[in-house]
Amino acid sequence: MNLRQLEAFVHVAKCSSFSQAAKELYLTQPTVSAHIAALEKELGSRLFIRNTKSVSLTEDGIRLCQYACQMLELEEQVYLAFGRKTVGIKKDMVIATSTIPAQYLLPEILKGFQERYPQEKFRVIETDSAGVVKLIREFSADIGFTGTKLDVKSCSYIPFYEDELVIITPNTKKYEKLKEAMEEKRCMQWICEEPLIMREEGSGTRREAERQLKRLGIGKNELKITASIENQETIKKYVAGGMGISVVSRLAAEDAVKRNEILEIPIPLEHAGRQLNIVFGRQTQPSDSVKHLIDYVKEQYKIS
């Protein structure tokens, strides 16, 4: 086993691709494949699950990646300690993000971050909160932003923004009356009678919506969920068109409410908000790029 084999292994893990890893390392794909094959033979374990569309780590691969990242980080520190440039290639930071941070917070965050650190390059992957955690856990992303916390011991979370979930409805007389009645009685049982459009399974917004409704005594089995849709903008259009109601982030609802396309109804709970979080791997030392981004976000949102 040598460091160049481990470097090839980490690149394949992060890129989920042998060809992309070879491109980033300026190696041929057969060379990268040979490095991985040599590691698998020496360790007596399969490190990747390969199919025609993607490459993902096995459980043994995840374990090895933890150690490999630490060893490559240590190599870099040795070179720096002796005033030498590292032999590695400066890699783009991979940022995984769920929908709400991706669409409503990250554009401004990354604009300011790049102005402060113009040398930093990054690649953004948008998925749901469960997908973000999976990418972090499998070392395919360096840092993530999620709309909920998942109980995964290998991840650390830093809350940075308090979001609020609201009910959105078509802008009609019927829902205006429901909104007025709810403001007086603070009763939510009417939602069980309405066709409900939800985010997809794995979405932080859906997870938090179900949690908050449960606090109000409404179980998900009581809800008339008629559709699950990944795209937040599509959900708003369907609601505006009268297909049903939904529970979304206030950040997502704001523009359509201002244009009078939909109505917004607050959820009658104290502490009805949810935290958006920075997430990163607990098992490895964050890179300087990740540390810079975490520090920048904490500064912008005044987090101690």
Side-chain angles (χ1 to χ4, degrees):
M1 181 189 306
N2 61 56
L3 288 172
R4 299 291 68 83
Q5 290 171 342
L6 293 175
E7 185 177 41
F9 166 72
V10 169
H11 269 73
V12 174
K14 294 197 173 202
C15 296
S16 298
S17 165
F18 279 75
S19 59
Q20 183 62 32
K23 183 178 178 182
E24 290 190 1
L25 291 168
Y26 298 97
L27 298 173
T28 65
Q29 186 169 332
T31 299
V32 171
S33 297
H35 283 326
I36 304 305
L39 281 173
E40 291 182 325
K41 183 177 180 180
E42 184 171 352
L43 296 173
S45 183
R46 189 181 182 193
L47 302 175
F48 289 104
I49 299 169
R50 304 164 174 86
N51 59 45
T52 55
K53 292 185 177 180
S54 65
V55 176
S56 59
L57 288 167
T58 62
E59 287 299 319
D60 282 343
I62 291 172
R63 288 170 56 208
L64 176 60
C65 206
Q66 173 187 346
Y67 297 119
C69 288
Q70 292 173 351
M71 291 169 74
L72 293 172
E73 179 71 21
L74 185 59
E75 179 194 30
E76 185 174 359
Q77 290 176 17
V78 169
Y79 275 94
L80 291 173
F82 285 85
R84 298 282 302 277
K85 291 183 178 180
T86 59
V87 295
I89 299 163
K90 175 68 175 174
K91 298 175 279 290
D92 293 352
M93 175 170 48
V94 179
I95 302 169
T97 174
S98 60
T99 304
I100 296 303
Q103 295 183 357
Y104 302 102
L105 298 176
L106 271 187
E108 190 66 27
I109 289 171
L110 294 179
K111 176 177 178 289
F113 175 71
Q114 197 160 55
E115 287 173 354
R116 179 171 298 183
Y117 299 100
Q119 77 281 6
E120 295 288 0
K121 308 298 179 188
F122 49 82
R123 179 163 60 93
V124 177
I125 301 172
E126 185 175 340
T127 179
D128 57 32
S129 290
V132 171
V133 171
K134 182 175 184 291
L135 289 169
I136 295 292
R137 184 171 179 268
E138 293 181 351
F139 302 93
S140 296
D142 301 299
I143 186 171
F145 293 84
T146 68
T148 191
K149 285 186 180 180
L150 300 178
D151 188 19
V152 178
K153 293 179 180 178
S154 58
C155 292
S156 294
Y157 294 88
I158 302 173
F160 75 98
Y161 183 90
E162 185 161 348
D163 188 21
E164 183 179 353
L165 297 186
V166 295
I167 303 159
I168 58 170
T169 74
N171 189 357
T172 65
K173 294 291 184 183
K174 170 188 171 180
Y175 291 105
E176 284 180 1
K177 289 179 181 178
L178 276 171
K179 181 176 180 179
E180 289 170 5
M182 202 180 110
E183 287 171 352
E184 292 178 9
K185 298 181 181 179
R186 297 171 66 83
C187 176
M188 283 284 293
Q189 285 303 128
W190 62 271
I191 200 172
C192 299
E193 304 301 320
E194 301 296 321
L196 185 63
I197 304 167
M198 293 289 272
R199 287 287 306 281
E200 76 284 5
E201 295 284 353
S203 156
T205 298
R206 178 166 181 156
R207 182 185 176 94
E208 290 298 318
E210 290 174 348
R211 184 181 67 83
Q212 292 191 22
L213 291 173
K214 186 176 180 180
R215 286 176 61 197
L216 289 163
I218 301 171
K220 62 181 178 180
N221 291 335
E222 299 177 71
L223 300 170
K224 292 171 60 177
I225 300 175
T226 57
S228 297
I229 299 175
E230 292 185 13
N231 188 286
Q232 196 86 46
E233 296 302 312
T234 302
I235 290 176
K236 289 189 291 184
K237 288 177 181 177
Y238 282 11
V239 170
M243 183 174 168
I245 66 174
S246 188
V247 182
V248 301
S249 163
R250 173 162 276 167
L251 287 168
E254 189 175 28
D255 57 346
V257 171
K258 286 179 179 177
R259 294 193 298 266
N260 294 317
E261 295 171 356
I262 57 175
L263 295 177
E264 174 190 298
I265 302 177
I267 295 175
L269 277 175
E270 288 187 21
H271 311 296
R274 52 113 181 231
Q275 294 288 346
L276 302 183
N277 305 280
I278 304 167
V279 57
F280 54 95
R282 181 177 292 169
Q283 299 166 320
T284 58
Q285 180 72 16
S287 67
D288 287 342
S289 298
V290 169
K291 290 176 184 176
H292 289 159
L293 182 54
I294 291 173
D295 289 344
Y296 179 79
V297 174
K298 289 171 72 173
E299 177 190 315
Q300 295 303 304
Y301 290 92
K302 297 179 172 57
I303 301 166
S304 58

